[in-house]
Amino acid sequence: DDGNTEAGDGCSPTCTITFDSPSTGYKMVYVPPGKYTMGCTSEMDIEDGCKADEAPAHEVSHSSGFYMGVTEVTQAQWQLVMGNTPSGFATCGGDCPVEQISWAEAIAFANALSIKDGLDPSYGLDLSLDETANGYRIPTEAQWEFAARGNDGTPFSGSTSIDSVAWYLGNAGGTPHPVASKGIPNGYGLYDMTGNVAEWVWDW
């Protein structure tokens, strides 16, 4: 989840500003404004890895910074906010990412966490976004990709080796794993932006 901010926009690309949810301790890190090339770029075209829906590569500019969760939302955090355990891999444990949730449920979580933390919910009953609200949001695709790239030029969000940063089909054993368990963040301090479980974004 992310929230736009104006207060930290003077932050340089190397500084770290964090925000913790008062009720859950969910940690977020500030991603500063900037430009990047969205889509499959040369460093990502490994073993013919570029797909048709990742082209054409094009420049995207973020004039405002935003906060992004340092990790995927965990099963324990979801339980604390929503009061249920929807995950198909519930036995993985509270530190594992929540999964098997719909886009609408991700929206509901953002609103519920906003209320729990005394913020204004960002989404209406019709799932429309109120951009004036100060509550939590799920990121846009452009925000997610910008954050995932980490301003570090690596193809796997923090490394040139997928096995060093990601749980995926080739090494995960058919199950999610505790968040940040690979121990290597990307350039913005974010974990599991490659691998583990899929993540929802606001726009289609």
Side-chain angles (χ1 to χ4, degrees), residues 21-98:
S21 158
S23 65
T24 66
Y26 184 59
K27 187 177 290 294
M28 308 183 84
V29 66
Y30 180 71
V31 178
K35 295 180 182 179
Y36 77 107
T37 302
M38 186 177 189
C40 195
T41 50
S42 58
E43 78 275 7
M44 304 176 82
D45 193 9
I46 298 169
E47 298 178 355
D48 299 319
C50 286
K51 305 294 188 290
D53 62 358
E54 298 172 319
H58 57 284
E59 186 175 274
V60 173
S61 177
H62 292 283
S63 59
S64 296
F66 55 93
Y67 286 88
M68 180 74 78
V70 169
T71 67
E72 296 154 322
V73 174
T74 67
Q75 294 185 27
Q77 289 161 343
W78 183 277
Q79 172 71 36
L80 182 61
V81 174
M82 303 300 284
N84 60 36
T85 306
S87 296
F89 293 93
T91 56
C92 183
D95 289 336
C96 287
V98 67

